[in-house]
């Protein structure tokens, strides 16, 4: 469970722990160790922006899980809001590494043991921005679109082994990631911060409220269950009706 120290990742880790799973809480923030302890799980620290650290994380996760991580949730991510001509190249590279290449690496290293056990679940947290675009988020939207392509491809490769691979695509969820971009959104759109949620974030939505992290977590638990064995290679929108238009 990557990026489990905050927001959606935290809610998913808590929901899986309630279901009886032994959760490996990964994050770059050392504070996430307290969550792992509270859930009776294991904390693994790694910066997913570093490809070598991701390889080491996969090895440590396999050891912590006794040889097989049954459910991999690729959740860690961050946002940067900027017009494309001002987008710093190093930030672009970092976003693609954390939100697309690191999920690829973790799948690559964790799927072989799932195949041997002939059961597994991979859940990739993409976004409604994996399916549609909004201005000023070029790297994020490219990474999230790519993650859906990765989801579909791997799903086809591992279906014979009882492994499903799915993407969850939420619209705006009430988390620190969303709170942190309110000032930037106000700046690039030239509107007051107090109007960002209503005028930018909820403008395309039919249901006019933010999604709660627990609502995403409940869907992740369902995808991991045996009831969802026929659901694979799909991008599931939890998007307040955004893409119905
Ligand atoms: N909040 C939303 O509206 C929303 C909507 C759609 C998709 N998502 C996606 O959901 C996921 C979780 O987002 P959130 O809103 O809970 O954000 P968040 O900021 O609350 O949590 C993200 C977590 O990822 C971790 N992380 C970031 N960079 C990392 C790195 N280099 N190495 C290791 N860990 C790192 C952070 O430390 C943090 O704990 C992200 O992939 C995000 O893109 C969020």
């Amino acid at each position: 469970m990557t990026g489990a120290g905050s927001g959606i990742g935290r809610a998913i880790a808590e929901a899986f722990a309630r279901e009886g799973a032994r959760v490996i809480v990964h994050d770059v923030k050392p504070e996430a160790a307290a969550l792992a302890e509270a859930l009776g799980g294991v904390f693994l620290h790694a910066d997913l922006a570093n490809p070598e650290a991701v390889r080491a994380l996969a090895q440590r996760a396999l050891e912590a899980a006794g040889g097989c991580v049954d459910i991999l949730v690729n959740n860690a991510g961050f946002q940067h809001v900027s017009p494309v001509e001002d987008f710093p190249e190093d930030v672009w590279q970092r976003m693609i590494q954390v939100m697309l290449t690191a999920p690829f690496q973790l799948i690559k290293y964790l799927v072989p043991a799932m195949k041997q056990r002939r059961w597994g679940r991979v859940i990739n947290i993409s976004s409604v921005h994996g399916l549609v675009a909004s201005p000023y988020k070029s790297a994020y939207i490219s990474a999230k679109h790519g993650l859906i392509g990765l989801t579909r491809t791997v799903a086809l490769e591992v279906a014979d082994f009882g492994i499903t691979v799915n993407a969850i695509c939420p619209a705006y969820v009430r988390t620190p990631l969303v709170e942190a971009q309110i000032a930037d959104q106000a700046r690039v759109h030239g509107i007051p911060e107090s109007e960002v949620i209503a005028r930018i974030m909820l403008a395309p939505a039919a249901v006019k409220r933010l999604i709660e992290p627990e609502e995403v977590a409940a869907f992740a638990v369902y995808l991991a269950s045996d009831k969802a064995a026929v659901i694979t290679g799909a991008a599931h929108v939890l998007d307040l009706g955004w893409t119905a238009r």
Side-chain angles (χ1 to χ4, degrees), residues 3-9 26-29 46-49 75-78 94 98-99 125-128 140 144 170-173 175-178:
S6 171
I8 296 170
H26 154 270
D27 211 288
V28 72
K29 291 186 206 154
D47 182 356
L48 302 186
N75 165 78
F78 64 101
R94 198 177 152 82
V98 170
M99 293 189 283
I125 308 301
S126 178
S127 166
V128 69
Y140 184 87
K144 295 300 191 183
Y172 285 97
V173 184
T175 71
L177 179 141
V178 162

Side-chain angles (χ1 to χ4, degrees), residues 3-231:
S6 171
I8 296 170
R10 185 186 180 100
I12 295 177
E14 289 171 343
F16 275 117
R18 276 196 299 276
E19 294 294 317
R22 183 162 164 273
V23 181
I24 298 178
V25 171
H26 154 270
D27 211 288
V28 72
K29 291 186 206 154
E31 310 89 88
L35 176 69
E37 200 178 337
L39 300 180
V42 178
F43 174 63
L44 294 181
H45 175 272
D47 182 356
L48 302 186
N50 175 348
E52 271 177 40
V54 183
R55 283 191 284 275
L57 172 66
Q59 286 315 311
R60 285 188 293 149
L62 285 170
E63 283 160 24
C68 182
V69 174
D70 299 314
I71 303 165
L72 165 65
V73 182
N74 282 308
N75 165 78
F78 64 101
Q79 184 62 268
H80 182 83
V81 180
S82 171
V84 70
E85 63 271 28
D86 299 333
F87 215 101
E89 281 189 39
D90 60 329
V91 177
W92 172 284
Q93 301 281 9
R94 198 177 152 82
M95 293 181 83
I96 300 295
Q97 166 60 35
V98 170
M99 293 189 283
L100 181 56
T101 307
F104 151 71
Q105 290 180 283
L106 291 172
I107 290 170
K108 172 181 165 67
Y109 293 112
L110 300 185
V111 149
M114 292 181 193
K115 276 175 137 179
Q116 273 191 349
R117 286 214 185 159
R118 301 194 76 80
W119 196 92
R121 294 285 184 266
V122 178
I123 299 172
N124 295 320
I125 308 301
S126 178
S127 166
V128 69
H129 282 129
L131 295 161
V132 298
S134 298
Y136 313 122
K137 296 186 169 185
S138 51
Y140 184 87
I141 287 168
S142 301
K144 295 300 191 183
H145 273 69
L147 189 55
I148 292 176
L150 177 67
T151 301
R152 291 176 173 148
T153 308
V154 179
L156 299 181
E157 294 182 21
V158 300
D160 286 345
F161 298 89
I163 306 168
T164 68
V165 187
N166 286 284
I168 301 181
C169 302
Y172 285 97
V173 184
R174 192 191 307 278
T175 71
L177 179 141
V178 162
E179 282 153 26
Q181 65 180 281
I182 288 180
D184 285 342
Q185 291 268 23
R187 181 175 43 78
V188 291
H189 289 282
I191 60 172
E193 287 187 25
S194 58
E195 294 179 14
V196 166
I197 289 182
R199 284 180 56 189
I200 305 296
M201 296 182 176
L202 297 181
V207 179
K208 298 288 186 190
R209 70 164 173 84
L210 295 178
I211 301 165
E212 299 301 330
E214 294 72 24
E215 292 175 306
V216 182
F219 192 66
V221 168
Y222 174 68
L223 284 178
S225 74
D226 284 328
K227 290 180 198 120
V230 298
I231 303 173

